[in-house]
Amino acid sequence: EAPVFDFTLQQPSGTRHIDARGGVVIIEGLHALNPALTEELPAGAALCLYAGLREEYADSSDACCLATRDIRLARRIVRDYLFRGHAFTLGLWGHVCAGEERFIKPYKPRANLLLDTTHTYEVCLWRTVLDAMPADPELTPVQARQLEALRARFDAFPALGTELVPQNSLLREFIGK
C-alpha cells in the first residue's frame, strides 16, 4: 500500500495498492532510494536513478554565488505557488533540506544512474519568474527577507522570459505551459 498525498491540503488522502507483478513501478520522492523499498526484489530487478541539480555558479573570484539549493528553492517556490495552491514553501524549506540530508544523501550512492537536471539557462529564468510573483502577505518578516535574498542572488544573471523555454522542457514542471 502506497500513501497518496494531497499537496493542496498538505496531508495524506488515502492509500493506493501497487501490484508490480508483470509490470514496472516507478517510485519517486524523498524515500525513493531507500533500500527498504527494494530489498525483497530479486537482484538486478531495481534500477535506481538519482535526478538532481549538479551545477553551481561562481563569480569572477570563484566564490560560489548561486548554489544548487538556491535553484531548487526557486523551482519549488514557483511550482508550489502556481500549482499547489500555497505559498508557504519558505516555511518548509528547512524541513525539506533536513529530509534530504537524512533520507536522500545517505542512499544516493545506491543510484545506478545520476541524471543532471540542470538547465544552464534557468538561472536567467528564475530571476524573471520570481520578480513577477506577487508579494505574499502570509510570509513572516524573516521569510520575506529570505525571498528577497534569493531573488537578489539571481540578479547577476540576465533576465529570460518563460516563452523561450521549450514546451517539452523539464522546467515546464515548475513554470507550466
Side-chain angles (χ1 to χ4, degrees), residues 104-122:
I104 296 175
K105 285 192 176 182
Y107 302 121
K108 188 176 170 183
R110 291 191 70 237
N112 302 98
L113 299 169
L114 298 175
L115 174 65
D116 182 1
T117 65
T118 303
H119 291 70
T120 302
Y121 65 87
E122 79 179 276

Side-chain angles (χ1 to χ4, degrees), residues 90-163:
L90 281 166
L92 296 175
W93 189 241
H95 298 291
V96 169
C97 293
E100 175 185 275
E101 295 294 327
R102 185 171 174 201
F103 300 115
I104 296 175
K105 285 192 176 182
Y107 302 121
K108 188 176 170 183
R110 291 191 70 237
N112 302 98
L113 299 169
L114 298 175
L115 174 65
D116 182 1
T117 65
T118 303
H119 291 70
T120 302
Y121 65 87
E122 79 179 276
V123 294
C124 302
L125 175 73
W126 297 126
R127 174 182 174 187
T128 304
V129 177
L130 287 170
D131 284 349
M133 287 178 56
D136 180 0
E138 295 182 27
L139 289 180
T140 67
V142 170
Q143 291 168 342
R145 285 192 300 276
Q146 288 174 316
L147 181 56
E148 191 53 41
L150 178 66
R151 283 182 169 142
R153 286 194 285 283
F154 289 98
D155 282 347
F157 305 95
L160 177 73
T162 59
E163 72 279 359

Side-chain angles (χ1 to χ4, degrees), residues 60-73:
S60 59
S61 68
D62 282 337
C64 179
C65 65
L66 193 62
T68 58
R69 277 197 172 164
D70 294 330
I71 299 167
R72 286 181 37 242
L73 178 57

Side-chain angles (χ1 to χ4, degrees), residues 21-88:
R21 290 177 288 195
V24 174
V25 173
I26 298 174
I27 301 171
E28 175 275 331
L30 183 63
H31 301 287
L33 293 174
N34 189 321
L37 295 174
T38 57
E39 63 189 4
E40 294 185 29
L41 296 175
L47 175 68
C48 296
L49 170 71
Y50 174 84
L53 293 159
R54 310 252 318 159
E55 237 177 73
E56 293 191 336
Y57 295 82
D59 61 19
S60 59
S61 68
D62 282 337
C64 179
C65 65
L66 193 62
T68 58
R69 277 197 172 164
D70 294 330
I71 299 167
R72 286 181 37 242
L73 178 57
R75 284 178 170 185
R76 192 173 180 121
I77 286 172
V78 171
R79 181 207 56 206
D80 289 355
Y81 172 77
L82 292 174
F83 305 114
R84 294 190 173 174
H86 58 79
F88 52 80

